[in-house]
Amino acid sequence: MSVSTVPKPVTGPAAWRGDGLGQSQEWVFQLSPGQVMELETLGERFMRDDPDLRTVQATDYPLVATADAVQAWGRDVDCGRGFVLVRGLRTDLYSDALSAAIYYILGLHMGEPIRQNEHGDLVDHVYATSDKTMDDPTALSSKVRDQLVYHSDSSDVVSLMCLRPARAGGASCLVSGAEIYNEILRRRPDLAPLLFEPFYWDWKRQDHEAPGNTYTSPIVSIVDGVFSMYAGALYIFTAQDYPEVPRLTPRQVEVLELFDAITYEPGMAIEMDFRPGDIQWLSNYAALHARTGFTDYPEPQRRRHLLRLWLSRKGERPVVEGFGKNAVVQPRAAARDPSAQTDNNHFHIRVAAVPRLIS
């Protein structure tokens, strides 16, 4: 792709700056008492039914009072600013399993859950079980207290539900992929075409049990005028540790460094604190996310604890073939390799609500 054929700057609600968007609360949705009651009732029935998380369907737990709200959240994620924060669930009154049940029901209505690791976990946990830091190549970002760099997750939509916040820190930070792209076009249009070319990404660093070292994806996709971004230079650079991966060119390094520099400029990101019961729905293709470092409580039962869902919204957002990790993620119904399936699976809500003790 040449400079002359690179698409023009992105316009519309997905191209935002944090210093503008943060002046309002338009991205916060407050659940009504009736919606909270409906979700609590459905969550309690989900607990009684104890369905298999691999096969349960949204139609098994239909929404009435919350149905229009879920549709609106989906539009915000797909066609709007790319994220919404839902507030009002009373998780301080629930068991973790009931919170997870309500969350999973909403996830079913927002998309199709996918497996988040080779164990097959459909509900995963952002919970520090390790004192490692991210400069340790064996560290998993969801299991440490470090600051996390901006990145995209491995799904169309990533969602986080706050059970308990940190003692201090741990704010969620979002930045618009479209606005980063626009800034690159303004400053270095000669580098912009590189974003449409495939890069090698470190798969093992993201999941130690991954069946391969790397996968490939471009950083930017534009299909039918719809802009999408999949980013996280950390895993592009660590993929260079594998001898079979082609070396990055000086211009590729330059565009990655420019991308990161723009991402961290003052005013680009919006920062939000998670309160108990908050749910963040985020398009991985519209916004990148990061996290500030945090200090935990000493007691394990009081530590910062978020639940995480990865969702597919097939057909809702067109992207180029093989974009992101679409080619390598596993659907929820079956493992990649059924013969490798273990007994250590969390496919029922009571066990899925308990974090694995992974170091």
Side-chain angles (χ1 to χ4, degrees):
M1 182 178 291
S2 66
V3 173
S4 62
T5 59
V6 170
K8 296 179 181 179
V10 181
T11 59
W16 48 263
R17 287 180 57 91
D19 51 9
L21 199 58
Q23 299 301 311
S24 75
Q25 293 286 295
E26 65 182 55
W27 42 273
V28 178
F29 182 94
Q30 182 69 44
L31 291 166
S32 70
Q35 290 167 336
V36 171
M37 182 178 295
E38 176 180 66
L39 293 173
E40 290 175 350
T41 300
L42 287 174
E44 289 166 357
R45 181 161 73 83
F46 196 97
M47 293 279 290
R48 291 193 299 272
D49 296 346
D50 193 27
D52 189 319
L53 300 181
R54 294 169 294 181
T55 55
V56 62
Q57 299 296 316
T59 51
D60 297 329
Y61 298 89
L63 300 174
V64 179
T66 322
D68 289 345
V70 171
Q71 291 296 315
W73 305 340
R75 290 192 297 272
D76 281 342
V77 166
D78 291 330
C79 311
R81 72 187 74 84
F83 73 95
V84 63
L85 184 72
V86 177
R87 182 160 282 167
L89 288 171
R90 306 182 298 173
T91 53
D92 55 329
L93 302 181
Y94 312 153
S95 66
D96 287 355
L98 177 56
S99 295
I102 293 170
Y103 184 41
Y104 201 76
I105 290 169
L106 286 172
L108 290 170
H109 286 273
M110 283 290 289
E112 172 72 9
I114 60 175
R115 296 172 179 234
Q116 300 185 46
N117 50 43
E118 294 302 310
H119 290 296
D121 292 336
L122 294 162
V123 179
D124 205 357
H125 301 261
V126 181
Y127 180 87
T129 56
S130 171
D131 290 326
K132 295 176 181 177
T133 56
M134 286 305 294
D135 55 4
D136 182 336
T138 67
L140 292 172
S141 60
S142 63
K143 309 306 176 190
V144 300
R145 300 173 184 86
D146 259 12
Q147 174 183 351
L148 300 184
V149 298
Y150 283 98
H151 63 283
S152 305
D153 272 14
S154 308
S155 54
D156 298 336
V157 171
V158 58
S159 175
L160 295 170
M161 178 189 210
C162 179
L163 298 181
R164 287 170 287 280
R167 182 176 182 177
S172 175
C173 308
L174 307 180
V175 65
S176 164
E179 192 60 23
I180 298 171
Y181 173 75
N182 288 346
E183 285 295 326
I184 292 174
L185 283 181
R186 294 181 189 114
R187 304 179 195 187
R188 292 295 304 275
D190 59 306
L191 295 178
L194 299 175
L195 300 173
F196 294 83
E197 298 176 359
F199 287 82
Y200 283 80
W201 303 74
D202 190 339
W203 193 2
K204 283 286 189 184
R205 183 75 178 265
Q206 300 174 58
D207 183 353
H208 300 331
E209 306 301 321
N213 288 336
T214 63
Y215 57 93
T216 61
S217 172
I219 293 173
V220 170
S221 163
I222 298 182
V223 176
D224 299 334
V226 178
F227 172 91
S228 299
M229 177 170 283
Y230 179 76
L234 169 65
Y235 295 125
I236 295 176
F237 285 124
T238 60
Q240 294 289 291
D241 293 341
Y242 305 113
E244 70 272 18
V245 173
R247 301 301 91 183
L248 291 168
T249 68
R251 283 172 56 79
Q252 286 177 319
V253 172
E254 191 174 11
V255 74
L256 291 174
E257 291 178 344
L258 176 61
F259 185 104
D260 278 354
I262 292 170
T263 299
Y264 286 96
E265 287 180 351
M268 286 292 293
I270 187 170
E271 184 174 303
M272 63 188 75
D273 287 321
F274 281 139
R275 305 175 187 175
D278 283 358
I279 299 177
Q280 182 189 84
W281 306 100
L282 171 68
S283 168
N284 274 309
Y285 303 145
L288 287 70
H289 61 285
R291 183 196 69 212
T292 63
F294 64 92
T295 302
D296 249 338
Y297 290 97
E299 303 90 351
Q301 66 271 26
R302 296 178 68 197
R303 290 178 184 169
R304 183 181 191 266
H305 190 175
L306 310 181
L307 303 179
R308 185 177 70 185
L309 291 175
W310 282 353
L311 304 176
S312 170
R313 284 178 66 85
K314 299 297 184 185
E316 299 295 332
R317 189 185 193 95
V319 293
V320 296
E321 185 176 356
F323 191 67
K325 284 179 72 175
N326 281 328
V328 298
V329 295
Q330 301 179 85
R332 65 172 171 141
R336 187 192 323 277
D337 180 6
S339 65
Q341 194 80 21
T342 70
D343 294 330
N344 189 23
N345 297 315
H346 293 179
F347 295 138
H348 291 269
I349 202 64
R350 286 177 176 82
V351 66
V354 180
R356 295 179 184 272
L357 296 180
I358 298 173
S359 62

